[in-house]
Amino acid sequence: MTAEAGGAEAPVVIIGAGPVGVVAALLLARRGVRTLVLERHADVYPLPRAVAMDDEVRRILQAAGVGEEFAAIARPANGLRLLDARHRTMAEFRRTAHGHHGYPQTSMFDQPELERLLRDALARRPECALRGGAEVTGVGPHTEGPVRVTYRDDDGEHEVWAEAVLGCDGANSVTREAVGAVWEDLHFEESWTVFDVRTDAAVRCWEGVDQVCDPLRPATFMRVGEDRYRWEFRLRDGDEPVRDLIAPWLPPSYAGDLEIVRRTRYTFRARLADRWRHGRVFLLGDAAHLTPPFIGQGLCAGLRDAHNLTWKLARVLRQGSDERLLDTYESERKPHARHVIRLAVAMGWAMTGGQDGAARLRRGALAAACRTPGLTALAGRGLSPPLTAGPLVRRRLRGGLAGSHCPQPWVTAGGRRTRLDELLGDSFTVLTATEPPPYLTALAHGLGVRAVPAADLGDGGALAAWLRAGRADAALLRPDRVVMDIVPAGGRDFTDTAGWASLLHTGRSSLPPRPTLDDSLLRSVTR
């Protein structure tokens, strides 16, 4: 067995080079943390899988440095419709072209294209190394000190020692076994068949997702690209011809060719790992949670994992923050993932109605609920609810911004127009509704962050209006743009500053802290 250099050679080992693993590596690279990504496949898996993404996750891709490249391959979608067995619209959940995070609320894409552009970005980062054809055979020990990772490739057996290991290795995760995690069953399991089809037919399409709520043949349909479509059907006994299954969406007289890009069977499951961390070994993505695909949040949940964990891990590794900071990864992400899985399961039951004696009653109740004014608009929100209260989210009786994300408008600073996150970079920020009064400036200085007046940014004072709507004079933003705490209107301080400041304490580190991304622009705003 050959040995790589120790932890200094590979501070973080990432197992799995799917979108979650590569985005995690890019986010760590942005913060100056070097990674070794081990992937058992030699190249990108060539067939489509995930096809939908929300605006929050597009903001994560922006943070990873591939926002513009992804825009070139993405297709905005109108949202979601629930159809009855005769394909009549029961409910419509519209998504806008400009969401809270500055992007279309729903975007369709081809996963192999996404993976290729992510790997191209990875290749441009000197902090990142990718080894394909490397099958991880062991992870541990992982309680104290460096973590040993063993893997096998064409050259034989190898080992590498890392300061942290991220298990992004899917549902059959080796890492999950290493941390001793077991699945919690959230009670949904169905077998479906998935068709990806390319055709020049005038397919009946509303540029969004259709969910057919038919207990005999529930189905999902969406347009993915200019001439590419996806259909998903719950399996029944025996196979039916593809053309017969998708006939309701095709012109009656169409007799042209259909190119079946992919036909496969999946068992959709709802599961959650009971633990996501052991020492410096972490689970992300499908290694930590499995969700039915009905609300398009499977890949999104994994990329949220990467965004939540990487800034905390970088702060511990590079700036000597308290190790307890890493505990907040599971405590914040696990309830969030559970919420998303339950929404997906609820949508699955809405589509199928179940097969028991109460199925007809449930379908009738669904149809009646969909006709209730305002309910569909309300139900269309909340796919990504605010984070629950914890050490890094300080909830208050007044003001509901904590735990939610700050919006991302276009901003102008130093004569340059840019997106808010590009201006703020990787730092904590105190965002103030007006020019910060002396006490807020002093408070921000004491926390080692800047106070940025929202009134000087954005189009028409959008950020200042957002603060006022949340009854806040100021908001403390984390590096992932989650609101950590607010100063209520007329208030004088953040809550329990000493409590969370101790987690963010910067101790001695052999690595210097990474500077704010666009420090010159921030100076132009905060002078």
Side-chain angles (χ1 to χ4, degrees):
M1 174 179 288
T2 62
E4 307 287 344
E9 178 65 24
V12 177
V13 169
I14 297 175
I15 304 174
V20 175
V22 176
V23 166
L26 292 172
L27 292 171
L28 287 169
R30 172 177 172 148
R31 293 170 170 84
V33 177
R34 288 178 292 120
T35 58
L36 171 65
V37 184
L38 301 175
E39 169 56 49
R40 64 189 180 94
H41 296 294
D43 203 354
V44 169
Y45 184 72
L47 297 180
R49 286 158 290 161
V51 293
M53 181 179 296
D54 63 30
D55 55 327
E56 180 187 334
V57 176
R58 286 199 61 172
R59 190 175 185 176
I60 295 172
L61 293 184
Q62 174 193 326
V66 296
E68 295 303 319
E69 292 93 332
F70 182 76
I73 67 169
R75 185 183 190 92
N78 285 335
L80 170 69
R81 293 191 309 186
L82 300 184
L83 309 181
D84 66 14
R86 296 169 61 184
H87 287 215
R88 296 173 300 187
T89 300
M90 300 167 60
E92 193 172 282
F93 306 103
R94 281 277 176 176
R95 313 303 281 170
T96 68
H98 188 85
H100 183 81
H101 300 276
Y103 293 98
Q105 286 185 299
T106 301
S107 299
M108 312 305 293
F109 65 97
D110 178 57
Q111 184 168 337
E113 286 187 299
L114 170 63
E115 292 200 31
R116 280 190 286 270
L117 74 85
L118 286 174
R119 292 207 186 183
D120 288 346
L122 196 75
R124 296 192 295 268
R125 299 298 310 222
E127 303 93 342
C128 305
L130 169 63
R131 295 193 182 166
E135 182 177 2
V136 173
T137 55
V139 179
H142 41 258
T143 51
E144 294 182 4
V147 183
R148 179 175 180 263
V149 178
T150 57
Y151 68 94
R152 179 190 307 116
D153 62 15
D154 290 342
D155 296 326
E157 300 281 343
H158 310 270
E159 69 176 22
V160 60
W161 293 85
E163 294 182 49
V165 175
L166 308 189
C168 308
D169 45 347
N172 300 314
S173 170
V174 172
T175 319
R176 189 173 58 252
E177 295 181 8
V179 303
V182 297
W183 285 125
E184 175 190 352
D185 188 354
L186 298 183
H187 309 298
F188 188 94
E189 185 167 327
E190 290 187 350
S191 294
W192 286 57
T193 185
V194 179
F195 303 99
D196 284 280
V197 175
R198 197 180 300 276
T199 179
D200 61 1
V203 176
R204 182 170 59 84
C205 176
W206 80 299
E207 298 297 343
V209 178
D210 283 344
Q211 304 278 22
V212 181
C213 303
D214 179 1
L216 297 179
R217 174 61 80 193
T220 304
F221 163 71
M222 66 206 76
R223 183 175 186 172
V224 179
E226 190 64 33
D227 62 348
R228 195 165 68 78
Y229 306 85
R230 171 171 291 184
W231 283 271
E232 301 171 356
F233 299 92
R234 193 177 67 188
L235 290 175
R236 294 193 301 194
D237 294 337
D239 288 329
E240 298 180 48
V242 174
R243 189 178 290 267
D244 291 349
L245 287 169
I246 68 178
W249 288 272
L250 296 177
S253 60
Y254 183 73
D257 293 334
L258 300 174
E259 178 190 350
I260 310 299
V261 178
R262 181 185 69 147
R263 177 175 183 167
T264 189
R265 294 187 175 189
Y266 281 113
T267 299
F268 296 155
R269 294 185 172 93
R271 293 180 175 177
L272 196 64
D274 66 336
R275 61 188 302 178
W276 292 26
R277 176 194 179 198
H278 190 182
R280 290 277 188 89
V281 182
F282 303 87
L283 302 180
L284 295 81
D286 285 355
H289 41 75
L290 298 175
T291 180
F294 304 122
I295 58 173
Q297 288 291 302
L299 177 60
C300 293
L303 294 180
R304 287 188 180 97
D305 294 343
H307 200 215
N308 185 285
L309 175 61
T310 50
W311 74 265
K312 300 170 182 177
L313 182 59
R315 195 170 181 95
V316 170
L317 294 180
R318 293 187 60 85
Q319 295 175 254
S321 288
D322 195 300
E323 191 84 10
R324 293 175 299 154
L325 180 63
L326 302 177
D327 293 334
T328 65
Y329 165 60
E330 180 176 341
S331 66
E332 291 185 347
R333 284 296 305 140
K334 190 174 181 180
H336 195 281
R338 185 186 298 275
H339 172 87
V340 168
I341 294 170
R342 284 177 170 167
L343 280 179
V345 169
M347 182 62 73
W349 282 114
M351 291 173 64
T352 66
Q355 285 75 48
D356 59 21
R360 184 181 298 275
L361 292 176
R362 282 196 296 271
R363 290 194 295 276
L366 171 67
C370 289
R371 292 191 294 269
T372 302
L375 185 61
T376 55
L378 181 63
R381 306 172 194 162
L383 290 184
S384 181
L387 297 180
T388 55
L392 298 179
V393 175
R394 314 301 289 181
R395 290 292 184 88
R396 293 173 178 266
L397 294 177
R398 295 180 60 234
L401 297 182
S404 64
H405 282 83
C406 172
Q408 183 181 213
W410 287 92
V411 298
T412 302
R416 192 178 110 191
R417 185 172 165 82
T418 186
R419 292 185 184 272
L420 176 69
D421 291 359
E422 297 303 319
L423 170 70
L424 300 183
D426 296 329
S427 65
F428 284 81
T429 302
V430 174
L431 190 67
T432 63
T434 60
E435 192 67 28
Y439 84 90
L440 269 182
T441 301
L443 176 62
H445 179 75
L447 296 173
V449 302
R450 284 184 174 84
V452 179
D456 293 351
L457 304 173
D459 295 323
L463 288 169
W466 168 73
L467 285 169
R468 287 193 295 270
R471 294 181 293 179
D473 282 344
L476 176 59
L477 306 183
R478 305 180 344 179
D480 57 3
R481 300 303 151 231
V482 169
V483 178
M484 187 169 179
D485 198 0
I486 67 165
V487 173
R492 295 285 295 176
D493 209 341
F494 293 109
T495 302
D496 189 23
T497 303
W500 46 255
S502 67
L503 287 182
L504 303 173
H505 161 72
T506 300
R508 291 190 303 173
S509 172
S510 59
L511 299 171
R514 186 169 177 78
T516 299
L517 179 67
D518 210 331
D519 204 53
S520 61
L521 284 183
L522 267 178
R523 282 198 299 271
S524 72
V525 174
T526 57
R527 272 200 296 262

